Amino acid sequence: MSTRTIYKCDRCGVETEDPQQFWLVGFMVTTDRWISTSNTNALQMKREWCRACVEEFEILPRVVTKPPQPPEQPKTIEDLIREIVQEERAQQ
């Protein structure tokens, strides 16, 4: 017999078997100006949200895949000479 675990987003209700796509999101409401971890006057709430909900609220940055950059070509001697001449002209 096997066990199957389904994870459900506490915000939108989406379900998946991948626990890596969920984050524990916590909120704390307090009347104290300075918050300490031992504060007993605070209302604490923890929920598990899916990646889409976390990104929608911009808690984590969106993951954008960039196309691989072509390798940079080494500069030729002529290019180096041009750069040196341009730097000298800019300094004058």
Side-chain angles (χ1 to χ4, degrees):
M1 176 185 245
S2 64
T3 302
R4 182 175 171 190
T5 304
I6 302 293
Y7 297 90
K8 184 175 180 181
C9 178
D10 290 328
R11 182 173 176 270
C12 70
V14 71
E15 295 179 351
T16 185
E17 293 181 15
D18 186 9
Q20 298 294 324
Q21 295 301 310
F22 282 86
W23 285 265
L24 184 63
V25 178
F27 301 94
M28 180 186 294
V29 180
T30 181
T31 57
D32 294 336
R33 182 178 180 109
W34 305 106
I35 300 171
S36 67
T37 55
S38 63
N39 188 350
T40 57
N41 295 329
L43 171 65
Q44 297 183 11
M45 186 170 64
K46 296 177 183 175
R47 300 288 184 260
E48 286 197 23
W49 284 9
C50 66
R51 174 184 281 283
C53 290
V54 169
E55 287 179 351
E56 181 181 334
F57 279 80
E58 297 180 354
I59 296 171
L60 293 177
R62 286 184 167 84
V63 178
V64 178
T65 57
K66 296 180 181 178
Q69 298 293 328
E72 189 175 320
Q73 298 294 327
K75 294 181 180 181
T76 64
I77 293 178
E78 291 83 10
D79 292 335
L80 294 173
I81 293 171
R82 281 189 204 104
E83 286 181 15
I84 293 171
V85 170
Q86 288 174 355
E87 287 176 8
E88 287 298 319
R89 287 183 183 167
Q91 290 179 359
Q92 293 177 355

